[in-house]
Amino acid sequence: LSLLRFLSAELTRGYFLEHNEAKYTERRERVYTCMRIPRELEKLMIFGIFLCLDAFLYVFTLLPLRVFLALFRLLTLPCYGLRDRRLLQPAQVCDILKGVILVICYFMMHYVDYSMMYHLIRGQSVIKLYIIYNMLEVADRLFSSFGQDILDALYWTATEPKERKRAHIGVIPHFFMAVLYVFLHAILIMVQATTLNVAFNSHNKSLLTIMMSNNFVEIKGSVFKKFEKNNLFQMSNSDIKERFTNYVLLLIVCLRNMEQFSWNPDHLWVLFPDVCMVIASEIAVDIVKHAFITKFNDITADVYSEYRASLAFDLVSSRQKNAYTDYSDSVARRMGFIPLPLAVLVSPVVVTSSIKVQGILSYACVILFYFGLISLKILNSIVLLGKSCQYVKEAKMEDKLFDPPPASTPGKPSSKSHNKSRPSQGLSTEENLSASVTSQPAHQKENVIPLLVTSNSDQFLTTPDGDEKDITQENSELKHRSSKKDLLEIDRFTICGNRID
């Protein structure tokens, strides 16, 4: 060998990529998956944000009307007689409890001085505020993960059949625990909004820059970890809740600043670039995070359509005759978004402090605004219900809506149901779906002791039945691994975002 021959071989050496076609095809598909992630992720995010908006508007629109109807039934009960052993239905009891909690926490929030809190936070150093904001984010996740358990414990304690042996501490202690939780969580969110307001009003915007850079630290903490399909589902739900909460916090900051400047529209354009910067950084971080998580864990972009079908299944199943929960509570369990503390914060801070109602014309505007909120809630619910039915049909999950909820004993997970009940009475699947969605819940007999049930969506995958069989055949060697959970077997009662199993 000579140097000339070696140089000639290096210059003329060739290779053929088709000799490793499968490898390069896989690399190309990964690039295409990363390109599809922004579109699929944003479709899931938009659907989830509107679900959170629906649960949030429910507190201000339909919940007061439901509380009024429940109180009216309670006052007019002698006119109906005592044919039913229950004074109120379980749903009406839960509505009254929610209304009383909101009213009590609303008056308690009046004793919290927002202006003093603002100046107290404004006097701290930038680094200290950055640490405080991170601590608030951690505390918010902890409150969200445990708060719905407190509320569910109150609802079940108040509506549990009296025939059962008492195994609780009583309704009154649970009620005070729920009031304390909602009040503390509302104060926590208020401190978050105040810190964000201080960052917007700082002269050098250093705190706002540090807070936005904190989002990119989230990429480091999640991208390089191993994620399964259900872990990514939990993270997606947590991101939906976080984004919606940030939108509400930005709305509170803008309203408070506009109120301080006498609603001068010129000041809104001063805040607009910062608001867009915060929203853009949040979207960019979510896209980059999910793109690399799916790349490193070999997850396709189609998984987000399954997640969307799962959320749609929760919405549609809450309209069934055998529904066991209100949809706002289902959203709280699935996403960790609890609307009660946020509603308690928005009411006194935004409505009472920022808007002064004086005169007949002002009250007329408030009434018109309330009817507008009801119209927005109803329109949003109709559109979401239609889209959810479409997603459920596309995922071929409509037959699972008619399966009875499996019973389970406390402390033992319910097993999968292998027998699927088909719609009867000669109706087609679509007719059964539409009929069951619009039907009212049937009253249960008092002499039947109800069992603890779990949601239908906890028992099934969002993939079609044929795909489930293919996946089972291809992965038959993994069937004995009990640690692998299906997508919708996530325990929504102990939701915790970004948990790694």
Side-chain angles (χ1 to χ4, degrees):
L1 293 178
S2 63
L3 179 61
L4 184 61
R5 291 178 62 187
F6 176 77
L7 182 60
S8 176
E10 287 294 316
L11 294 176
T12 59
R13 178 171 53 87
Y15 50 88
F16 297 93
L17 298 181
E18 59 266 21
H19 291 169
N20 200 353
E21 180 180 355
K23 175 183 176 180
Y24 290 104
T25 303
E26 180 185 359
R27 296 294 190 273
R28 185 171 61 186
E29 291 299 325
R30 286 185 180 180
V31 175
Y32 293 162
T33 299
C34 290
M35 294 173 62
R36 290 180 56 196
I37 287 298
R39 180 172 177 269
E40 297 296 329
L41 177 62
E42 289 307 311
K43 288 168 64 176
L44 173 65
M45 287 287 177
I46 292 174
F47 183 73
I49 286 174
F50 276 102
L51 292 180
C52 293
L53 177 64
D54 188 71
F56 184 64
L57 291 178
Y58 171 81
V59 178
F60 297 100
T61 55
L62 299 186
L63 181 60
L65 299 179
R66 290 176 62 94
V67 172
F68 175 77
L69 292 177
L71 293 177
F72 181 77
R73 171 183 168 82
L74 188 62
L75 294 176
T76 59
L77 189 62
C79 300
Y80 295 101
L82 296 177
R83 290 175 296 178
D84 296 335
R85 297 181 60 183
R86 290 181 183 269
L87 297 179
L88 294 174
Q89 295 300 319
Q92 294 175 327
V93 175
C94 294
D95 292 334
I96 292 179
L97 289 175
K98 292 178 184 178
V100 174
I101 290 174
L102 285 174
V103 171
I104 293 177
C105 293
Y106 173 78
F107 286 105
M108 292 174 64
M109 288 296 293
H110 283 285
Y111 293 95
V112 180
D113 193 348
Y114 181 84
S115 300
M116 183 186 68
M117 184 182 299
Y118 176 82
H119 291 290
L120 181 65
I121 295 177
R122 188 179 179 87
Q124 307 299 322
S125 61
V126 174
I127 300 300
K128 188 181 294 186
L129 287 178
Y130 172 70
I131 298 175
I132 291 175
Y133 192 77
N134 287 335
M135 293 173 60
L136 292 175
E137 284 190 346
V138 175
D140 180 62
R141 292 196 177 190
L142 295 178
F143 268 94
S144 299
S145 63
F146 192 62
Q148 190 60 36
D149 294 339
I150 296 176
L151 296 176
D152 286 332
L154 171 63
Y155 302 152
W156 176 239
T157 304
T159 59
E160 188 177 9
K162 304 303 180 184
E163 293 84 359
R164 293 194 171 190
K165 182 180 179 181
R166 177 170 176 173
H168 54 81
I169 60 177
V171 179
I172 302 301
H174 279 286
F175 178 77
F176 282 114
M177 289 172 58
V179 171
L180 181 62
Y181 154 70
V182 174
F183 178 66
L184 293 179
H185 200 175
I187 292 181
L188 178 68
I189 300 175
M190 177 185 285
V191 177
Q192 281 185 300
T194 306
T195 307
L196 190 62
N197 196 8
V198 170
F200 269 79
N201 294 327
S202 60
H203 298 289
N204 53 5
K205 305 293 182 182
S206 58
L207 178 59
L208 186 63
T209 305
I210 293 175
M211 291 169 61
M212 285 191 302
S213 65
N214 187 42
N215 292 331
F216 291 91
V217 178
E218 185 180 352
I219 298 178
K220 178 183 177 182
S222 58
V223 165
F224 301 106
K225 293 182 180 179
K226 180 176 177 56
F227 274 81
E228 298 291 342
K229 190 177 181 181
N230 51 0
N231 300 121
L232 184 59
F233 185 37
Q234 289 180 330
M235 173 174 282
S236 302
N237 291 330
S238 178
D239 291 339
I240 292 172
K241 175 254 179 185
E242 181 181 358
R243 190 179 294 190
F244 180 80
T245 305
N246 288 338
Y247 289 164
V248 177
L249 293 181
L250 289 174
L251 177 63
I252 293 175
V253 169
C254 292
L255 290 178
R256 293 294 299 178
N257 279 273
M258 293 294 294
E259 190 266 338
Q260 293 296 327
F261 286 88
S262 302
W263 298 97
N264 185 7
D266 295 335
H267 185 68
L268 181 62
W269 298 108
V270 177
L271 297 173
F272 187 74
D274 295 334
V275 172
C276 293
M277 193 184 308
V278 173
I279 295 176
S281 65
E282 188 75 25
I283 295 175
V285 166
D286 288 340
I287 290 176
V288 173
K289 179 175 63 176
H290 284 265
F292 281 96
I293 286 176
T294 53
K295 177 184 183 299
F296 292 151
N297 295 277
D298 293 329
I299 302 175
T300 62
D302 297 330
V303 72
Y304 293 101
S305 62
E306 297 183 18
Y307 297 161
R308 190 175 55 193
S310 170
L311 297 177
F313 188 89
D314 289 341
L315 174 59
V316 176
S317 61
S318 65
R319 265 53 174 197
Q320 300 298 302
K321 291 182 179 180
N322 58 352
Y324 71 98
T325 183
D326 185 72
Y327 181 68
S328 60
D329 296 328
S330 178
V331 170
R333 298 185 191 105
R334 181 68 75 183
M335 299 184 185
F337 171 70
I338 306 176
L340 293 183
L342 200 58
V344 169
L345 174 65
V346 170
S347 299
V349 173
V350 177
V351 179
T352 307
S353 302
S354 301
I355 301 175
K356 304 298 181 182
V357 181
Q358 296 177 352
I360 300 178
L361 184 60
S362 299
Y363 284 103
C365 293
V366 170
I367 294 174
L368 291 177
F369 179 74
Y370 177 71
F371 282 114
L373 282 181
I374 293 179
S375 302
L376 178 61
K377 167 66 174 68
I378 294 175
L379 179 62
N380 188 36
S381 299
I382 293 174
V383 174
L384 283 177
L385 186 58
K387 285 291 184 181
S388 299
C389 293
Q390 176 185 348
Y391 297 149
V392 169
K393 291 177 182 178
E394 290 176 355
K396 299 180 180 180
M397 298 168 59
E398 59 268 21
D399 291 341
K400 302 169 186 177
L401 291 170
F402 307 102
D403 292 330
S408 62
T409 57
K412 295 181 180 180
S414 58
S415 59
K416 284 189 177 181
S417 175
H418 296 282
N419 298 325
K420 298 182 179 180
S421 58
R422 297 294 178 180
S424 57
Q425 300 177 359
L427 297 177
S428 62
T429 303
E430 296 184 2
E431 291 174 351
N432 275 276
L433 177 60
S434 59
S436 59
V437 166
T438 56
S439 300
Q440 294 293 330
H443 300 291
Q444 295 181 351
K445 296 182 179 180
E446 292 299 326
N447 55 356
V448 179
I449 301 177
L451 297 176
L452 290 176
V453 296
T454 56
S455 172
N456 292 344
S457 60
D458 288 337
Q459 307 299 323
F460 302 102
L461 281 167
T462 56
T463 51
D465 296 339
D467 294 342
E468 291 180 3
K469 295 178 181 178
D470 295 337
I471 294 174
T472 306
Q473 293 175 357
E474 293 175 0
N475 301 282
S476 58
E477 68 275 4
L478 300 177
K479 64 181 179 180
H480 296 293
R481 296 186 181 181
S482 59
S483 61
K484 299 292 184 181
K485 292 184 179 180
D486 291 335
L487 175 61
L488 292 181
E489 284 186 327
I490 300 173
D491 187 4
R492 66 177 65 181
F493 291 92
T494 56
I495 186 71
C496 181
N498 299 347
R499 182 180 63 205
I500 305 300
D501 293 335

